[in-house]
Amino acid sequence: MYLYLGKMKAVPPMTPNRNKTVILSEGAKRRSRRTPSDSPAPIPPEPFSHEPGCPTHGSHLAMGGRIATAITLATTLLSAQSKPTPTITFTNTAPESHLAFTLHSSTSPHRYSIETMTGGVAAFDYDNDGLLDLFFTNGAEIPSLEKSNPAFLNRLFHNNGNGTFTDVTEKAGVGGIGYSMGVAAADFDNDGFTDLYITGVNHNQLLRNNGNGTFTDITAKAGVTGIIPGIGKAWSVTAGWIDYNHDGLLDLFVVNYLNYDLKTAASCSTHKIVTYCSPDDFAGLPNILYRNNGDGTFTDVSKESKIGSYIGKGMGVAFADYDNDGFTDIFVSNDTFPNLLLHNNGDGTFTDQATSAGVAYNQMGKTVAGMGADFRDLDNDGRPDIFHTAMFGDAFPLYRNLGDGQFEDVTSPSGISLSTVKLTGWGTGAFDFDNDGLKDIFTANAAILDNAEIAEHQPYPLPNAIFRNAGRMTFKDVSPTAGPSFKLSAPHRGAAFGDFNNDGRIDIAVTVLNGPAELLMNRTGDDSKNTHNHWIILKLVGVRNSKGGDNHDGLGTQIKITTSKGSQYNEATTATSYNSSSDKRVHFGLGDSTVIDTIELRWPTGIHQTLHNIKPDQILTITEHPDPKP
């Protein structure tokens, strides 16, 4: 993002817990790498199978008729609804929920760039009680970059299950050190408890969940300090967990921003008013890939994996297997720098394919201020698409996955451009907020400068936005009807997504720079004029043993569900948005479908698993178990 607002520069109450466990068997086999002869058949996007027990096995990237198929399915999913379309509606319940968190950035007269960048949040269940808790990152005193008083502590809030939260920071031992930025949540040691990795300016932290409500800082012992040889501690903005080599252990990808030092950082101005400097004034940094050794330690494999070969100014990261070769790939949205699409070669190395794939630049052939990102299938064709936020003057890019490793910028025809060109966005996520079978898009918005009104006569606080998926890869801005909380302007930053009251509707936690956090509870369908659509949430449990297997969270698992209305696709991940981490459980909206014909899973190591005739409106735990051989 541009950290100034000057001339744009072109550069090529809770419901009862509905958790239900039905799959308890175990079994898995390890495949550290596949060859063409042993690769499992991909989960096919077409043709669609509507008969339980008879999934098709066509090519995931079959070119013939792929666009027509996607359009047909999207149209079917919409037209097949016999009920009125619910109005997407949210209510900010943070005050009555006792979610008392204020993000402090230590705004200084100098306007150091780090001040406008903090604000991460994670939605995760730290105590395994079936309810999503919330963790917020926080800033520190400037220039010491230390948490000199309690106002700067990172905070953990326990979900009480009755619509309220309790601050358990002190008991859990997660107050943190240094000037924190983002957070990534996952179970890296496969002990069944979710751990936290916090990124920051002067300190990164790995907090191991002890399983008793407390965490232990094991950063140094684990070897994940965020130090780059020859450079030192990098300014890390965000991170994500990925099993890139299919050994059943979650590895850590750390996104770094600028080679920036408060001691030498110049002060910048616009019209003689001190402002944040442009990222063009600083060199970018390589990102870091830490391989999980399985013994509580990690090895920096940035060099041998080629990850360290690519310089960027990263702000967002999202994972998906965009070419369906069975290996999870990485998208990094960069700030005024070409984006990265790091293709997983399956041999422990990555190659940047962003330019050749068509996602390095926007539709005008220029870089934008890339911020938060998501990497999900938006048109139900089985291929994950890419969306990321940007700065006003440049619309938020939407790239449609065409197959064969190619993407098309559909920002303008999608209808996203008209609304987002006037916005600056940070956190974002693609989720089915109205449960109609199509993923919608949320963006957390605000300008960069806290003195934007004076410096550039532009508003600093902005309202959040929500874009309803209308099918055929088109979106409608429904923010004006999404409730009073979408009319509230604030300096929003990070956003995390998940169902906080287990009612089947995706809620949103949003951070506000130097302001109170927002908890946007999804009330879609509560209006008496509307009716609820059906849904299902899948909690995956990967199985790992001495012979290998999959990570406990099942991250990287590809899922296809089929109902009488057609098929949908998703992939298990916690990496989305900006600086933030979302629920590991996988959500699907089902419209008015009263049964799911099949749920097909392809676990990271290639294990295929199929469930038949599943009832909707439940949180279903699926433990990895391979289908019987024919």
Side-chain angles (χ1 to χ4, degrees):
M1 69 186 169
Y2 279 102
L3 297 180
Y4 68 104
L5 296 179
K7 183 178 179 181
M8 299 298 291
K9 180 177 180 181
V11 183
M14 299 283 185
T15 58
N17 193 325
R18 305 188 185 187
N19 289 322
K20 182 177 180 181
T21 302
V22 300
I23 306 296
L24 296 176
S25 55
E26 296 186 357
K29 63 179 181 178
R30 179 182 182 183
R31 285 184 184 172
S32 59
R33 185 180 176 191
R34 302 192 192 109
T35 62
S37 62
D38 65 10
S39 294
I43 298 176
E46 57 178 293
F48 299 113
S49 169
H50 300 287
E51 181 179 355
C54 298
T56 59
H57 295 285
S59 170
H60 196 184
L61 295 179
M63 292 294 291
R66 63 173 182 262
I67 296 178
T69 301
I71 293 175
T72 300
L73 176 59
T75 303
T76 301
L77 284 168
L78 287 171
S79 62
Q81 303 298 321
S82 59
K83 299 181 296 185
T85 300
T87 300
I88 297 176
T89 308
F90 289 84
T91 300
N92 180 18
T93 66
E96 55 264 44
S97 296
H98 308 303
L99 194 64
F101 174 76
T102 296
L103 173 63
H104 295 280
S105 70
S106 286
T107 304
S108 69
H110 187 283
R111 293 299 193 275
Y112 293 103
S113 295
I114 63 172
E115 300 166 10
T116 193
M117 300 278 287
T118 186
V121 54
F124 74 115
D125 182 5
Y126 82 95
D127 57 352
N128 289 346
D129 64 353
L131 298 167
L132 291 178
D133 309 298
L134 282 167
F135 177 86
F136 295 91
T137 65
N138 210 341
E141 186 179 55
I142 289 178
S144 71
L145 300 184
E146 298 300 337
K147 297 185 185 298
S148 57
N149 68 69
F152 293 118
L153 294 180
N154 302 331
R155 294 281 173 180
L156 175 62
F157 292 86
H158 175 261
N159 188 335
N160 299 321
N162 61 357
T164 68
F165 290 78
T166 298
D167 188 337
V168 294
T169 304
E170 184 177 354
K171 176 182 177 181
V174 295
I177 57 176
Y179 201 106
S180 305
M181 284 281 155
V183 57
D187 180 9
F188 83 87
D189 54 1
N190 291 324
D191 66 351
F193 292 92
T194 303
D195 312 295
L196 295 173
Y197 187 76
I198 297 103
T199 58
V201 178
N202 56 329
H203 293 286
N204 290 4
Q205 279 188 289
L206 177 59
L207 302 181
R208 183 183 184 275
N209 190 330
N210 299 320
N212 61 0
T214 68
F215 291 75
T216 299
D217 185 343
I218 62 168
T219 313
K221 179 181 177 181
V224 290
T225 57
I227 293 175
I228 300 177
I231 296 177
K233 171 62 180 75
W235 175 3
S236 303
V237 171
T238 192
W241 295 97
I242 174 178
D243 183 6
Y244 79 96
N245 56 356
H246 292 179
D247 62 356
L249 301 168
L250 288 175
D251 311 295
L252 180 62
F253 184 84
V254 182
V255 178
N256 298 316
Y257 187 46
L258 303 177
N259 193 349
Y260 187 92
D261 189 340
L262 266 67
K263 296 177 182 179
T264 59
S267 180
C268 297
S269 63
T270 299
H271 307 307
K272 297 183 179 181
I273 299 172
V274 177
T275 60
Y276 296 112
C277 294
S278 164
D280 288 342
D281 296 333
F282 306 92
L285 291 171
N287 300 309
I288 303 173
L289 179 62
Y290 291 111
R291 186 186 64 220
N292 191 334
N293 299 323
D295 59 359
T297 69
F298 292 75
T299 298
D300 186 344
V301 294
S302 306
K303 182 177 181 180
E304 46 265 56
S305 68
K306 309 302 181 185
I307 290 293
S309 302
Y310 304 107
I311 303 299
K313 299 178 181 180
M315 293 186 66
V317 64
F319 305 126
D321 179 6
Y322 77 91
D323 57 353
N324 197 50
D325 65 354
F327 291 91
T328 305
D329 309 298
I330 305 171
F331 175 78
V332 178
S333 52
N334 282 316
D335 187 0
T336 67
F337 212 80
N339 295 326
L340 297 174
L341 181 60
L342 300 170
H343 177 262
N344 189 333
N345 300 319
D347 60 0
T349 67
F350 290 80
T351 302
D352 179 26
Q353 301 286 0
T355 299
S356 61
V359 298
Y361 307 93
N362 71 358
Q363 57 191 343
M364 305 301 292
K366 59 175 287 190
T367 60
V368 299
M371 298 198 226
D374 208 348
F375 204 164
R376 298 182 195 267
D377 180 13
L378 297 175
D379 53 358
N380 290 333
D381 66 353
R383 295 181 286 265
D385 310 294
I386 296 172
F387 176 81
H388 71 83
T389 50
M391 187 176 172
F392 83 93
D394 288 310
F396 300 172
L398 174 57
Y399 302 100
R400 182 181 184 182
N401 190 333
L402 301 177
D404 284 351
Q406 296 297 302
F407 290 77
E408 176 188 12
D409 189 326
V410 295
T411 310
S412 292
S414 73
I416 290 286
S417 180
L418 186 61
S419 296
T420 62
V421 73
K422 300 174 291 185
L423 298 173
T424 293
W426 299 77
T428 188
F431 294 85
D432 188 355
F433 297 114
D434 54 3
N435 286 336
D436 67 348
L438 294 167
K439 298 179 189 71
D440 315 294
I441 295 174
F442 168 89
T443 63
N445 306 316
I448 312 303
L449 290 179
D450 60 342
N451 58 357
E453 289 93 342
I454 301 173
E456 290 292 342
H457 307 291
Q458 295 286 343
Y460 169 53
L462 293 173
N464 295 321
I466 196 159
F467 303 91
R468 182 179 181 272
N469 193 328
R472 302 190 181 191
M473 206 60 161
T474 62
F475 294 81
K476 180 182 179 181
D477 186 352
V478 295
S479 310
T481 60
S485 57
F486 278 79
K487 296 179 174 65
L488 176 65
S489 293
H492 303 104
R493 288 301 186 262
F497 304 83
D499 184 359
F500 292 104
N501 56 356
N502 290 335
D503 67 352
R505 295 175 290 187
I506 297 298
D507 312 301
I508 313 168
V510 186
T511 63
V512 175
L513 200 60
N514 298 305
E518 299 172 0
L519 182 61
L520 305 180
M521 297 301 293
N522 193 333
R523 306 305 191 197
T524 303
D526 281 357
D527 190 325
S528 60
K529 296 179 181 179
N530 296 316
T531 53
H532 289 282
N533 283 325
H534 297 290
W535 54 273
I536 194 163
I537 293 175
L538 306 179
K539 179 181 178 181
L540 307 183
V541 180
V543 176
R544 192 174 188 275
N545 52 42
S546 59
K547 297 181 180 180
D550 285 299
N551 68 87
H552 184 270
D553 288 344
L555 300 189
T557 301
Q558 295 172 277
I559 307 168
K560 172 187 176 182
I561 70 164
T562 301
T563 70
S564 60
K565 304 296 168 42
S567 296
Q568 298 180 53
Y569 306 81
N570 214 330
E571 193 162 328
T573 183
T574 63
T576 187
S577 191
Y578 170 75
N579 273 2
S580 301
S581 187
S582 293
D583 186 9
K584 66 182 180 182
R585 302 177 299 182
V586 185
H587 168 269
F588 290 92
L590 303 174
D592 60 4
S593 295
T594 57
V595 64
I596 303 169
D597 297 335
T598 58
I599 299 176
E600 301 172 63
L601 304 95
R602 186 174 76 181
W603 298 81
T605 52
I607 295 294
H608 275 249
Q609 184 171 357
T610 307
L611 286 70
H612 304 282
N613 299 320
I614 305 300
K615 294 181 180 180
D617 304 330
Q618 63 170 314
I619 297 173
L620 182 66
T621 295
I622 303 178
T623 298
E624 182 179 12
H625 180 68
D627 287 335
K629 294 183 178 180

